[in-house]
Amino acid sequence: MGLDLLVPLLLPLASWPVARWVAPRLSPRLGSWLLTSCALVLAAGSTLTLAVLAAAGLAQLPVIGRLGDFSAVAFHGADAVGLPLAIGSTVVLSGVVAAFLRTAVRYGRWHREVHAELNTHTREAGVVLLPGEEPVAFAVPGGGGRIAVSSGMLAALAPGERCALLAHERAHLRLRHHLFDGAVTIATALNPLLRPLGSAARFALERWADEAAAEHVGDRKLVATAVAKAALAGVRRPPLALAATGGPVPQRVRALLTTPEPGSQRRSLGTIAVAVVLGACAWSATSTLDAATDLHFGIETAQAACVAKAVPGQGTQAQTTSTALGHQDRECAES
């Protein structure tokens, strides 16, 4: 194992420049797919690399060698990972696993609680009507998908704006944006360095839903007005739900009010951005695979050394056979 191990650990640091310069040059749909996939690959690469480092160091302990039927001494000679680095990787990996489990439990608890709350309210045409003056609007998966809107939100919007808001929320459910959001949540839980990339991916999801709503109602300005008025109304949403007020609202409104770029120009910029992001992901995946292969080879070498040590007469028998053949060859030459 060499310096290639640093690649999956350091590449997540590039999430900020990717979010800053690459993400704005992607279409919302492409950006959602690409940024979410990239976050997952980088998170998996860094987590697996920590696991390989931890395993490579702990395998040098005699007790681990006895449990795995290989020579810890031979493995130490074939591996370059120091025990302090392995211990540090184990500590970090334990924190990563704990963060992942905490996030999973938190999301599961929230999902149960929000559905239990929505079950107590009236549902009409797939929309749950919430009483109260507080402006609320969000979409949650499960139960066929639900959209929750409060009376205060409906009162703050004109009829056409209500249609645009509901079209945005329905787009979240129809396009299964909760799967993208869940993947980003997992990635950022596994590696907090990926949070800028996660924020960019969530913004792309909101922009994707904006464009889907604009296509549905046939009026980009109407969708922009609905989003802006919902945000100005002070709407609050559950932290894990998808909503029309998610992400930087001024940027979303500006994008809706701006004429889309020509298709050829967007495609050329998107191609370059895709190449950059996919290249980084491929580099991370290759480095992680190489590290895992080196670990496997080192353990196989240590197992072979353990087998050779367990059969001490094997080398002596081979030497005796070689000596006998040598004597036989000399006798044939003399005759």
Side-chain angles (χ1 to χ4, degrees):
M1 298 184 189
L3 295 177
D4 287 345
L5 280 172
L6 296 177
V7 174
L9 299 178
L10 295 180
L11 267 182
L13 293 173
S15 63
W16 185 85
V18 169
R20 177 67 177 82
W21 291 301
V22 176
R25 290 164 173 78
L26 300 174
S27 65
R29 180 175 181 176
L30 177 60
S32 300
W33 278 100
L34 187 65
L35 298 176
T36 302
S37 302
C38 182
L40 277 178
V41 171
L42 294 180
S46 62
T47 304
L48 291 177
T49 299
L50 288 174
V52 168
L53 286 171
L58 297 178
Q60 300 175 42
L61 299 176
V63 63
I64 302 298
R66 287 193 296 270
L67 292 175
D69 293 328
F70 61 87
S71 172
V73 176
F75 183 83
H76 177 74
D79 194 83
V81 177
L83 191 57
L85 177 59
I87 294 175
S89 299
T90 303
V91 172
V92 175
L93 182 63
S94 300
V96 166
V97 173
F100 171 76
L101 293 177
R102 184 169 59 251
T103 301
V105 171
R106 175 172 171 249
Y107 183 84
R109 183 183 299 117
W110 168 82
H111 193 271
R112 291 192 301 270
E113 291 176 354
V114 73
H115 276 283
E117 174 66 21
L118 294 180
N119 287 336
T120 63
H121 298 289
T122 305
R123 180 175 179 177
E124 296 182 5
V127 178
V128 178
L129 301 177
L130 302 176
E133 298 299 323
E134 182 180 11
V136 175
F138 59 90
V140 292
R146 294 183 177 184
I147 298 172
V149 181
S150 69
S151 301
M153 173 59 74
L154 295 178
L157 302 177
E161 295 164 354
R162 296 173 190 170
C163 294
L165 182 72
L166 293 178
H168 177 100
E169 303 298 352
R170 289 194 178 98
H172 278 314
L173 296 176
R174 186 181 73 256
L175 299 173
R176 300 183 181 276
H177 285 173
H178 58 279
L179 297 179
F180 294 84
D181 186 67
V184 169
T185 301
I186 292 174
T188 53
L190 292 175
N191 194 329
L193 295 176
L194 296 171
R195 286 177 180 173
L197 199 61
S199 298
R202 290 189 174 96
F203 176 70
L205 288 175
E206 295 298 337
R207 285 283 301 115
W208 189 2
D210 286 342
E211 295 297 333
E215 183 178 357
H216 177 77
V217 301
D219 190 341
R220 299 174 63 85
K221 184 178 179 180
L222 180 62
V223 176
T225 303
V227 170
K229 290 181 68 173
L232 290 174
V235 59
R236 289 186 289 178
R237 63 183 176 89
L240 299 178
L242 294 168
T245 54
V249 173
Q251 296 181 24
R252 292 171 51 201
V253 171
R254 185 165 54 249
L256 285 167
L257 296 178
T258 303
T259 304
E261 296 179 1
S264 58
Q265 182 179 1
R266 178 175 289 274
R267 281 194 296 269
S268 61
L269 293 174
T271 301
I272 297 174
V274 168
V276 171
V277 175
L278 291 183
C281 292
W283 192 11
S284 175
T286 302
S287 300
T288 303
L289 181 61
D290 289 343
T293 302
D294 291 343
L295 175 62
H296 179 71
F297 177 77
I299 291 178
E300 284 189 336
T301 302
Q303 287 176 337
C306 188
V307 171
K309 184 178 180 180
V311 188
Q314 186 175 4
T316 304
Q317 182 179 1
Q319 183 177 3
T320 302
T321 304
S322 177
T323 303
L325 290 175
H327 286 306
Q328 184 178 0
D329 289 341
R330 283 196 296 272
E331 290 177 359
C332 291
E334 290 176 356
S335 61

